[in-house]
Amino acid sequence: MKRGNSSHDAETAELLRRVGLRLTGSRRYVLEALLQSGHPLSHQELLGRRDSLRFDRVTIYRALLALKRKGLVHDVKGTDGIRRFGAHPTDLPHCPGNHAHFLCRRCGRMFCLTESPLPWVEVPAGTTVEGKQMVVYGLCPQCARREND
Amino acid sequence: MKRGNSSHDAETAELLRRVGLRLTGSRRYVLEALLQSGHPLSHQELLGRRDSLRFDRVTIYRALLALKRKGLVHDVKGTDGIRRFGAHPTDLPHCPGNHAHFLCRRCGRMFCLTESPLPWVEVPAGTTVEGKQMVVYGLCPQCARREND
DNA sequence: TTCTACTTGCAATTGAGTTGCAAAAGCATT
DNA sequence: AATGCTTTTGCAACTCAATTGCAAGTAGAA
Ligand SMILES: [Mn+2]
Ligand SMILES: [Mn+2]
Ligand SMILES: [Zn+2]
Ligand SMILES: [Zn+2]
């Protein structure tokens, strides 16, 4: 499968191989996009990115699920009901998304708040905790400026 | 509009009046249900509760929105994409849902973790924070027991 | 009782995400 | 470079939460 040649191209191949995933066009594209974008992306945002290199919607979903299952990306369900996926910065060995995320209600962009690790949470005895997520929402700096034009 | 006579009946009327909402059957029913249930309820859970007293799905949605707008309930969007609403315990004067919530991935019940207030979160300069939510997910004690039967 | 603004029911619609299946492609092997 | 097995892809259909428009009904004030 043909690919555009971009900065993380070799890196994505190496990452996919390392976790035992086949190197396919959609996976390289999605992982690449998540690495380049400085912030988590929704399925919808991933669909429209380049005019060449078009994949089916379902294929993008399945690529995301594969990357998630192998721990290459983390995901957050926003207060808007939309799931966004972020690649882990490759310099940090294991940052499995255990930080808060900010969601702008106006532009819909999500940002990792990597400086805000999630707190320990006390749960009732017998409860099994499998994960947690925190979403802070409001207006990003850009949108806050426009709001009071 | 006819109503079942239950424990919080007078209380709901008083609450609705206090915030300037008209006393309608659907609002009294929804608020009552949220007060009685010890945990937040989804729209779907609210629909099936009694056989008498049937309201349209959309009416239940709109009742929830009204209660939310007036601050009588708080809401959380679960990692399963379903929004759940919880009444504020009336003894606490203002507990606007600023605590973590647990969501069981098996039975779908959500619980308020009122002992875990949400932490302060640092955001980039210029950002406007309007709210935040934290969802801890896994298995509730009941479901955890059944999982290894 | 009357009036009016607000609320409800119904039908249609949006949009995220999932499922089943046949065709296509990755990759290890010959 | 061809073989063969397994995984992945594209397509169409589907599920399900939530929203919208509008006409009919109702709460609450006068
Ligand atoms: Mn993140
Ligand atoms: Mn709560
Ligand atoms: Zn924004
Ligand atoms: Zn459970």
Side-chain angles (χ1 to χ4, degrees):
Chain A
M1 150 61 88
K2 222 185 246 179
R3 256 164 298 97
N5 25 331
S6 43
S7 41
H8 296 270
D9 194 48
E11 187 178 354
T12 58
E14 167 56 20
L15 285 170
L16 289 171
R17 229 182 316 259
R18 191 181 302 169
V19 298
L21 282 178
R22 286 195 185 170
L23 277 70
T24 68
S26 68
R27 289 172 184 171
R28 302 182 75 155
Y29 162 63
V30 167
L31 185 51
E32 167 100 29
L34 295 186
L35 282 170
Q36 293 211 337
S37 156
H39 60 98
L41 297 178
S42 66
H43 170 256
Q44 194 58 241
E45 289 171 308
L46 281 166
L47 270 180
R49 287 210 127 210
R50 310 182 197 167
D51 304 290
S52 48
L53 234 60
R54 287 230 156 280
F55 300 95
D56 187 82
R57 328 166 36 254
V58 181
T59 301
I60 300 292
Y61 273 122
R62 292 199 266 231
L64 286 166
L65 293 186
L67 296 176
K68 162 80 176 173
R69 180 161 24 91
K70 294 296 186 177
L72 290 181
V73 301
H74 62 283
D75 66 319
V76 185
K77 188 81 163 185
T79 44
D80 56 1
I82 298 176
R83 199 173 175 188
R84 291 168 178 82
F85 295 80
H88 302 155
T90 38
D91 39 330
L92 304 180
H94 250 305
C95 155
N98 274 337
H99 48 260
H101 292 83
F102 177 84
L103 176 62
C104 178
R105 75 137 199 275
R106 195 170 168 284
C107 67
R109 280 182 301 176
M110 179 176 278
F111 303 101
C112 297
L113 302 175
T114 47
E115 305 302 303
S116 293
L118 297 187
W120 167 259
V121 175
E122 184 75 31
V123 293
T127 306
T128 306
V129 172
E130 297 175 342
K132 47 186 191 258
Q133 65 164 47
M134 177 149 144
V135 178
V136 183
Y137 52 93
L139 292 171
C140 75
Q142 281 185 36
C143 293
R145 227 174 293 129
R146 286 184 202 171
E147 194 85 341
N148 40 357
D149 45 7
Chain B
M1 152 58 87
K2 222 186 248 179
R3 254 166 296 97
N5 27 329
S6 44
S7 42
H8 295 270
D9 193 48
E11 188 178 353
T12 58
E14 167 56 20
L15 284 170
L16 290 171
R17 232 182 314 261
R18 190 182 302 167
V19 298
L21 283 178
R22 287 196 184 169
L23 277 70
T24 68
S26 67
R27 289 171 184 170
R28 302 182 75 155
Y29 163 62
V30 167
L31 184 51
E32 166 100 29
L34 296 186
L35 282 170
Q36 293 210 339
S37 157
H39 59 97
L41 298 177
S42 67
H43 169 256
Q44 195 59 240
E45 289 171 308
L46 281 166
L47 271 181
R49 286 208 128 210
R50 310 181 199 169
D51 306 288
S52 49
L53 235 59
R54 287 232 156 278
F55 300 96
D56 187 82
R57 325 166 37 256
V58 181
T59 301
I60 301 292
Y61 274 121
R62 292 199 267 232
L64 286 166
L65 293 186
L67 296 176
K68 161 81 175 172
R69 180 161 23 93
K70 294 297 185 174
L72 290 182
V73 302
H74 62 282
D75 65 319
V76 185
K77 188 80 162 184
T79 43
D80 57 1
I82 297 176
R83 199 173 174 188
R84 290 168 180 82
F85 296 80
H88 302 154
T90 39
D91 39 330
L92 305 181
H94 250 306
C95 156
N98 274 336
H99 48 259
H101 292 83
F102 178 84
L103 176 61
C104 178
R105 75 137 199 274
R106 194 169 169 285
C107 67
R109 281 182 302 176
M110 178 176 278
F111 303 100
C112 297
L113 302 174
T114 48
E115 305 302 303
S116 293
L118 298 186
W120 167 258
V121 175
E122 184 75 31
V123 293
T127 305
T128 306
V129 172
E130 298 175 341
K132 47 187 190 261
Q133 66 164 43
M134 177 149 143
V135 179
V136 184
Y137 52 92
L139 292 172
C140 75
Q142 280 184 37
C143 292
R145 227 173 294 130
R146 286 185 203 171
E147 195 84 342
N148 39 357
D149 47 5

